[in-house]
Amino acid sequence: MLITYKSSCDGNLEKIGHFEKDCWINITAPLKEELIEVSELYNIPIEFLEDPLDLEESARIQYDEETECTLIINDFPIIDENTHAFDSYITIPIGIILGKDYVVTVCNQSSNSLENMIKKNVNTSMKSRFALEILLSFSTLYIEKLKLLNKQRLKIESHLRDSLTSKQLYDLMEIEKSLVYFLTSLKANADVITKLFRTKSLTLYEDDKDLLEDLKIENNQAIETTELYTRILNSITGSYSSLISNELNKTMKTLTLFTVFLTLPTLVFSFFGMNVTLPIADKDPFSWIITLVIALVIVIWIGFALWRRRML
């Protein structure tokens, strides 16, 4: 899908049906033919349009001297569609291409951040600032998603105090996976932001430099928050792993003690139940009571010994 926008006199973005100078071309999940058409029409290297569509593409900034186009690739979070019962996240790349007369964004999926840009008062003729505003909106999106992940973690943690189930542990694993995606992408985005400070292919005015500084601060805040939540989650999972091991040890100890106490009477009864003549067999018809007393004395003696060793 390809939609072209341009800022009006009052600063609002309006859809236009054809190419105009200082426009914004938003490309989402395009066909191969659409990429070739845009590449030929706007003199953009075809790889600049194809690379952001690769989900494994790393964040970077690249300049093409022949076409004088600058490509900025950044990662942003989206909900993982493979997880239906729980909102976990992955990150995918988006490409921002800055040419002489246009700004092009290329992505595999639509983003709420880009849709929100349409509602803002932006100026597409100021291409560098417009690109920085897009990047800033994605950094803000990370922080919003981190807050949602933290709320989910707190909810799971409150349930863990009552009962521990496999589903809750799997949900914590999904949160941990999301944080790993976030941290990896945010650090890669930080490298791109650092390069933007010294790149010569972009013209940055004083207001643009202030915006770039805000972008750096926002991205660093997202990194620090992600690292904090990761440490908290690792601490929680480690603690509950210790609790699970402790409960398992208690269970095994209880079963072992039951086995010991049940085995002792069995040994006594087996001895007196052998098909041999015993001294007490003919003297007292109630000699079986003596068997019970012997078994009971042995059980009490072993129980007292275990109690003295604090095993009970």
Side-chain angles (χ1 to χ4, degrees):
M1 183 175 64
L2 189 152
I3 305 176
T4 305
Y5 301 93
K6 186 176 180 180
S7 296
S8 61
C9 298
D10 55 3
N12 295 323
L13 281 177
E14 297 178 350
K15 286 185 181 181
I16 57 177
H18 55 281
F19 172 76
E20 292 185 10
K21 185 178 180 180
D22 299 330
C23 66
W24 167 33
I25 307 163
N26 185 25
I27 305 174
T28 305
L31 300 175
K32 179 69 174 180
E33 293 76 12
E34 292 177 325
L35 295 180
I36 296 175
E37 181 182 358
V38 171
S39 175
E40 294 176 350
L41 184 61
Y42 306 125
N43 192 26
I44 301 174
I46 188 65
E47 60 270 17
F48 277 21
L49 296 170
E50 292 177 339
D51 289 351
L53 300 176
D54 183 4
L55 298 181
E56 303 299 326
E57 190 68 29
S58 58
R60 70 176 193 275
I61 182 171
Q62 184 177 346
Y63 177 69
D64 183 72
E65 295 183 356
E66 183 178 348
T67 58
E68 298 183 3
C69 290
T70 301
L71 170 65
I72 303 172
I73 297 181
N74 256 37
D75 294 333
F76 70 97
I78 62 168
I79 293 179
D80 186 2
E81 296 180 352
N82 295 324
T83 308
H84 302 288
F86 187 82
D87 284 346
S88 64
Y89 299 90
I90 60 173
T91 56
I92 63 172
I94 182 172
I96 304 173
I97 304 171
L98 305 179
K100 287 184 177 180
D101 303 322
Y102 52 81
V103 177
V104 179
T105 54
V106 188
C107 190
N108 254 320
Q109 296 188 27
S110 59
S111 168
N112 291 333
S113 295
L114 287 181
E115 294 176 0
N116 291 334
M117 292 295 297
I118 301 172
K119 304 174 185 179
K120 295 181 179 179
N121 291 330
V122 293
N123 191 347
T124 53
S125 62
M126 304 178 71
K127 293 176 283 294
S128 298
R129 183 177 301 179
F130 182 61
L132 293 176
E133 288 177 345
I134 293 176
L135 296 177
L136 182 60
S137 67
F138 285 130
S139 294
T140 304
L141 182 63
Y142 274 105
I143 295 178
E144 293 175 359
K145 300 305 181 184
L146 283 169
K147 290 179 180 178
L148 292 177
L149 285 174
N150 192 49
K151 288 182 179 179
Q152 291 176 337
R153 179 190 63 80
L154 292 173
K155 184 178 179 180
I156 295 171
E157 188 177 352
S158 64
H159 292 161
L160 281 174
R161 293 190 182 98
D162 300 327
S163 62
L164 183 63
T165 63
S166 298
K167 180 182 182 304
Q168 293 166 342
L169 293 177
Y170 282 126
D171 290 343
L172 288 177
M173 288 172 57
E174 290 296 331
I175 294 178
E176 187 175 12
K177 183 189 74 173
S178 301
L179 293 176
V180 170
Y181 272 109
F182 281 17
L183 189 58
T184 303
S185 297
L186 284 167
K187 288 185 174 180
N189 291 349
D191 293 336
V192 173
I193 294 171
T194 302
K195 292 179 181 178
L196 288 175
F197 277 97
R198 59 176 183 265
T199 184
K200 297 180 180 179
S201 60
L202 297 180
T203 303
L204 298 177
Y205 300 97
E206 285 301 321
D207 291 342
D208 299 336
K209 292 179 181 179
D210 293 339
L211 187 60
L212 183 56
E213 192 67 37
D214 293 340
L215 172 60
K216 181 180 180 181
I217 294 172
E218 196 82 4
N219 194 81
N220 289 339
Q221 181 183 351
I223 291 175
E224 293 173 359
T225 304
T226 304
E227 291 176 340
L228 173 62
Y229 289 167
T230 301
R231 289 195 296 269
I232 293 174
L233 190 59
N234 289 338
S235 176
I236 292 173
T237 53
S239 298
Y240 278 103
S241 295
S242 299
L243 288 174
I244 292 173
S245 298
N246 189 41
E247 291 296 328
L248 179 61
N249 291 336
K250 288 182 179 179
T251 302
M252 295 302 297
K253 179 181 177 181
T254 302
L255 292 176
T256 302
L257 291 174
F258 270 116
T259 302
V260 170
F261 287 125
L262 291 175
T263 301
L264 293 173
T266 303
L267 290 174
V268 176
F269 299 152
S270 298
F271 176 76
F272 284 98
M274 293 187 296
N275 192 20
V276 295
T277 302
L278 297 176
I280 63 174
D282 299 329
K283 297 180 180 179
D284 190 351
F286 298 101
S287 57
W288 59 273
I289 298 178
I290 300 176
T291 307
L292 291 178
V293 172
I294 294 173
L296 183 60
V297 169
I298 294 176
V299 169
I300 293 174
W301 176 65
I302 294 296
F304 179 74
L306 293 176
W307 176 76
R308 288 290 299 273
R309 293 174 177 268
R310 297 184 178 179
M311 297 182 66
L312 285 178

